[in-house]
Amino acid sequence: MNQQEKYFEAVAQIRKLMLRLIVVFLIMIAVIVHSLLAPDVFVLGNSPHEEPYAWVEEAMDDRIENGIHVRTGFVSDTGLMTVVANCTNCHSAKLVTQNRMSKERWRATIRWMQETQNLWDLGDKEAIILEYLASNYAPIQKGRRQNLEKIEWYVLE
Amino acid sequence: MNRRGFITQTALTSLTAILGTEIVFGKFIPTDYQPLGVQEPSPFQLFEKDNQMVVLNDKPWNMEAQAHLLDDAITPNKYMFIRNNGKIPETIDLDTWSLLVDGESVGQPKRYSLAELKSKFKHHTYQLTLECGGNGRSEFDPPAKGNQWTVGAVSCALWTGIRLRDILKDVGIKNDSVYVGYHAADTHLSGDPNKEPISRGVPISKALQDETLIAFKMNGEDIPLAHGYPLRLVAGGWPASASGKWLTGISVRNKVHDGSKMSGTAYRVPCEPLAPGEKVTDDKMCIIESMPVKSLITYPKTGAIFPIEKKLNIRGHAWSGEFAVKRVAYSIDFGSTWHDCNLEDATNRLAWQHFQASISFPKKGYYEVWTRATNSQGIAQPMVLPGWNPKGYLNNACHRIAVKITA
C-alpha cells in the first residue's frame, strides 16, 4: 500500500466518522425537541397519567453494591426482595440488620410481631424470609467481654 | 418498567431538579411526591443533634450518643439519645392539648389544659438521669433482640414541671391505687390507630416521689419534639421508658398497669437468674424498676495517644437508679488494682455524679482505663457482662477506654 492509498483511506474513514457524528447529533436534537413538545416519549411503554405512582415506586433504588442492597442495607441473597417487601413497611431495615438471631428466634420474633404488632400472615413467604434471616443474620459468639475494637487513635493534646 | 426506562427517568429527575419541576416536567410529578432530599431530611438537622450521634434506627427514630459526647455536667439536647417505640406525633396543638387523669383508682376523672397545669401547680426543677433499659444491649451473648445500644443511651438534663403527686392529690386517688400508667400521642408503626406504641408507668410509690415530674421544660426551654414536647412524665433513675413522652393521659390503676410494653419480655428481666440463652416463660419475668449502678468515662475519648511523662486526667459520671454512688475507682491493669477517683455529690437525688482522676502510667504501651462505681448499698459494677436476659437489659459492666503511651 503506497502513501497515496493510505491517505485516501484515512480521508474516507474521517468522512464516515463525521457523518456518524452528524447523524447522532441530529437524533439528539430531535429527541430534545420532541421531549420538550411531548415529554411522554421518555416514559417507555408506561404512561405516568394512568399510573401516577408507578414510576415513583419503580424508581426505588435497588442497586446492589459490594453485596449490599444500597437502599436498605440488607445483604444481597436469595429472598432479599421478599424481605424488603415484608419487613420494611412498619419499621426500618436497620431494626433487622442490627440484630443477630437463630432461625428459631427469628421465627419467634415474627410470631411476636404477628401477635402484637399487626404483622400479616406471611404465607409461603415465611420460609423464604426465615432462611434469608437465619443465614445472613445469624448470631456471632462474643463471649463475656469483647476486645475494644474500631478504635480511632489520635494524639491527645 | 425496564432498566432503560428507569435510567431515563433517573436522568429526568435530575434534569427536572435543574430546570425547575413546576414548569417543564411538572406533570410527571405525582401531587404528593416530594423530591428525595425533602423526603429524607437529615435526622441531625431534624432533631438538632450533633452529627457525631449514631443513628441506630430511622423508623422509628433511635439515636445514641458516644461516651465522649456526654462530657457536659448537664446533657444538652444535641447529645441526648432518642429512643422511640412509635411514630412522633405529626400535629401538636397547644390550645387543645390536654392531660386526662383517670383509672379505677380515681374518684372522678379530670382533664387539665396545658395552661391549667402550668398555672395551678407549683413548678419544680430537678436534674434527672434517664437511661434506656437496653443501654449496653449490643454486648450480650447470645445477642439480644432490639436496638443495639452501646453506651450512649443515657442522659442527665434539667427537667422543669409539676409534681405528679400534686396532680394526683388534686384529682384524689383511692387507697387501692397500685400503679400509674401513662398514655401518649405517638402513633403505632403499623398505622393502627387503636394501638398504643408504648404505655408504661411506675408503681404508686415512685409516682409520689418529689422528683417524679410532669415536665414541660428541658434545660430551661420547651422540651424538644423528639423528647416529648409539649408534656412528658419524668421518673428519673428508672428505665427511661417509664418516662412517657407526648403525655396525654395518666391512669391511676388498682393493679399493675397493663399497657403496651408492660408484659412479655418488654422492659422485664427474669425474676430468677438464667444461663445465657436459656428459655423463660412470661410469668417468670419481673418489671425493671431502679436502674443498676453504672459509670461512664466521658474524657478523654477512647483512642488517646500521649507521652509517658504526661499525666492523664480522666473524668465522667456515675449513677445508680434510686441510690447514691459512694465510690468510683479506676484500673489501668484490667481490674488487678483499683484506685479511687474524686467523686462529687449529686446536685439532687436521681442526678448523676461527676468523677475525675489523674493517672500516671508505669511504662509505654497499650492500656485500658476502666472505671467501676459502687453505690450506697455496697453494690459495684461487674467487670464482665451481668446476667443474661432475653432482651439484653441492664448491662452495667465497667466502661473501658483504650489509650497508648509513647516514649
Side-chain angles (χ1 to χ4, degrees):
Chain A
M1 204 187 278
N2 62 29
Q3 282 283 33
Q4 206 177 10
E5 278 174 43
K6 269 189 183 170
Y7 171 75
F8 282 123
E9 193 168 302
V11 168
Q13 274 180 355
I14 290 167
R15 186 176 293 156
K16 263 190 213 161
L17 195 65
M18 287 292 285
L19 269 170
R20 274 186 206 151
L21 279 171
I22 287 166
V23 168
V24 168
F25 190 65
L26 284 174
I27 290 171
M28 279 172 65
I29 287 176
V31 167
I32 289 168
V33 168
H34 191 197
S35 73
L36 289 173
L37 297 174
D40 289 15
V41 75
F42 274 88
V43 187
L44 301 174
N46 192 349
S47 163
H49 305 293
E50 286 161 22
E51 295 176 71
Y53 300 98
W55 75 264
V56 176
E57 276 177 30
E58 298 283 346
M60 283 283 200
D61 187 352
D62 279 323
R63 268 177 305 133
I64 306 287
E65 276 175 20
N66 303 319
I68 299 293
H69 182 239
V70 177
R71 176 162 59 88
T72 58
F74 276 129
V75 172
S76 173
D77 196 3
T78 312
L80 167 68
M81 292 321 288
T82 309
V83 170
V84 171
N86 288 281
C87 308
T88 61
N89 283 272
C90 293
H91 59 71
S92 161
K94 287 189 172 72
L95 194 56
V96 181
T97 57
Q98 290 183 66
N99 279 284
R100 297 289 180 274
M101 288 182 239
S102 63
K103 189 181 261 187
E104 184 195 1
R105 289 193 61 221
W106 280 117
R107 186 182 289 115
T109 303
I110 288 174
R111 291 288 169 271
W112 173 78
M113 286 189 284
Q114 286 169 332
E115 282 159 22
T116 68
Q117 306 294 307
N118 290 1
L119 174 63
W120 45 85
D121 180 3
L122 296 167
D124 55 0
K125 301 278 190 283
E126 184 173 297
I128 299 169
I129 293 169
L130 278 175
E131 191 55 43
Y132 172 89
L133 293 173
S135 50
N136 292 293
Y137 299 97
I140 303 158
Q141 291 234 325
K142 287 184 285 198
R144 205 78 200 201
R145 204 89 215 247
Q146 286 183 292
N147 283 342
L148 293 174
E149 275 159 9
K150 293 181 196 160
I151 299 159
E152 291 169 24
W153 294 103
Y154 65 97
V155 174
L156 183 68
E157 297 302 329
Chain B
M1 187 178 296
N2 62 26
R3 181 159 170 80
R4 187 157 167 218
F6 166 69
I7 292 166
T8 320
Q9 282 183 351
T10 311
L12 188 68
T13 312
S14 16
L15 200 60
T16 54
I18 297 159
L19 292 178
T21 51
E22 290 83 358
I23 308 154
V24 183
F25 296 117
K27 63 177 173 177
F28 275 89
I29 311 288
T31 48
D32 63 348
Y33 176 71
Q34 290 175 303
L36 212 58
V38 182
Q39 254 182 0
E40 294 169 11
S42 143
F44 307 104
Q45 284 173 1
L46 196 63
F47 303 121
E48 295 178 320
K49 297 292 174 187
D50 187 272
N51 61 15
Q52 293 179 80
M53 296 288 284
V54 180
V55 175
L56 298 183
N57 202 338
D58 48 18
K59 191 174 143 191
W61 284 110
N62 284 279
M63 196 188 269
E64 74 170 329
Q66 303 181 55
H68 70 279
L69 300 179
L70 292 168
D71 197 38
D72 296 271
I74 297 172
T75 313
N77 174 54
K78 65 179 172 178
Y79 299 137
M80 182 180 274
F81 76 100
I82 298 177
R83 197 281 181 261
N84 288 332
N85 284 262
K87 286 189 258 191
I88 295 174
E90 279 168 18
T91 51
I92 291 168
D93 183 354
L94 297 187
D95 296 330
T96 57
W97 193 279
S98 64
L99 179 75
L100 175 67
V101 184
D102 64 3
E104 303 95 349
S105 296
V106 301
Q108 189 68 37
K110 200 165 174 180
R111 191 181 286 278
Y112 299 91
S113 70
L114 270 184
E116 242 177 309
L117 288 176
K118 289 179 189 176
S119 61
K120 194 168 179 179
F121 303 98
K122 190 167 183 264
H123 296 187
H124 300 269
T125 299
Y126 296 103
Q127 195 186 347
L128 299 167
T129 308
L130 290 182
E131 182 180 15
C132 175
N135 197 20
R137 174 178 294 142
S138 61
E139 283 196 281
F140 279 99
D141 181 19
K145 195 181 80 170
N147 286 299
Q148 298 297 304
W149 306 102
T150 63
V151 296
V154 61
S155 69
C156 196
L158 274 179
W159 295 91
T160 301
I162 55 183
R163 285 184 174 142
L164 175 56
R165 185 175 69 202
D166 290 348
I167 301 177
L168 297 182
K169 206 182 289 174
D170 189 62
V171 177
I173 59 170
K174 297 181 189 167
N175 288 335
D176 66 351
S177 54
V178 170
Y179 225 87
V180 158
Y182 66 74
H183 304 282
D186 50 348
T187 56
H188 198 265
L189 291 175
S190 67
D192 186 342
N194 299 316
K195 271 189 177 300
E196 291 182 286
I198 184 163
S199 169
R200 302 196 68 248
V202 292
I204 201 76
S205 55
K206 177 67 177 169
L208 296 178
Q209 281 183 2
D210 284 358
E211 302 85 1
T212 302
L213 299 179
I214 290 186
F216 37 79
K217 279 189 188 300
M218 186 185 104
N219 294 338
E221 292 173 12
D222 284 345
I223 300 172
L225 177 63
H227 299 295
Y229 180 79
L231 210 57
R232 179 177 191 172
L233 180 63
V234 186
W238 285 44
S241 57
S243 297
K245 305 193 271 191
W246 312 291
L247 191 70
T248 57
I250 291 287
S251 294
V252 187
R253 309 296 308 267
N254 62 6
K255 58 178 179 181
V256 173
H257 182 54
D258 51 2
S260 173
K261 306 275 169 124
M262 285 298 293
S263 56
T265 52
Y267 304 102
R268 303 206 306 169
V269 290
C271 305
E272 292 155 10
L274 289 186
E278 200 180 331
K279 280 202 165 55
V280 58
T281 51
D282 283 355
D283 61 314
K284 297 269 167 48
M285 297 288 279
C286 288
I287 298 171
I288 301 168
E289 298 196 334
S290 174
M291 290 292 286
V293 60
K294 202 160 172 179
S295 60
L296 192 66
I297 304 163
T298 59
Y299 183 89
K301 182 185 175 189
T302 188
I305 301 171
F306 51 93
I308 191 156
E309 58 272 15
K310 187 184 165 89
K311 275 194 151 192
L312 179 67
N313 295 310
I314 63 160
R315 59 176 182 258
H317 318 291
W319 61 96
S320 181
E322 289 285 323
F323 303 106
V325 174
K326 284 289 181 238
R327 181 188 182 209
V328 175
Y330 73 84
S331 175
I332 57 167
D333 51 15
F334 306 96
S336 301
T337 59
W338 292 94
H339 313 274
D340 278 351
C341 296
N342 192 352
L343 177 67
E344 292 175 29
D345 287 339
T347 313
N348 53 255
R349 218 176 71 80
L350 311 180
W352 63 20
Q353 295 166 242
H354 315 302
F355 66 82
Q356 41 115 338
S358 192
I359 309 175
S360 303
F361 292 82
K363 56 182 170 183
K364 66 185 181 71
Y366 172 88
Y367 293 85
E368 289 178 9
V369 181
W370 297 8
T371 56
R372 188 182 197 207
T374 308
N375 73 10
S376 57
Q377 311 297 297
I379 296 169
Q381 292 179 257
M383 286 183 265
V384 294
L385 275 270
W388 185 89
N389 61 89
K391 285 296 296 286
Y393 293 118
L394 310 182
N395 175 7
N396 65 334
C398 292
H399 184 225
R400 308 170 295 169
I401 60 166
V403 297
K404 260 184 203 169
I405 317 301
T406 53

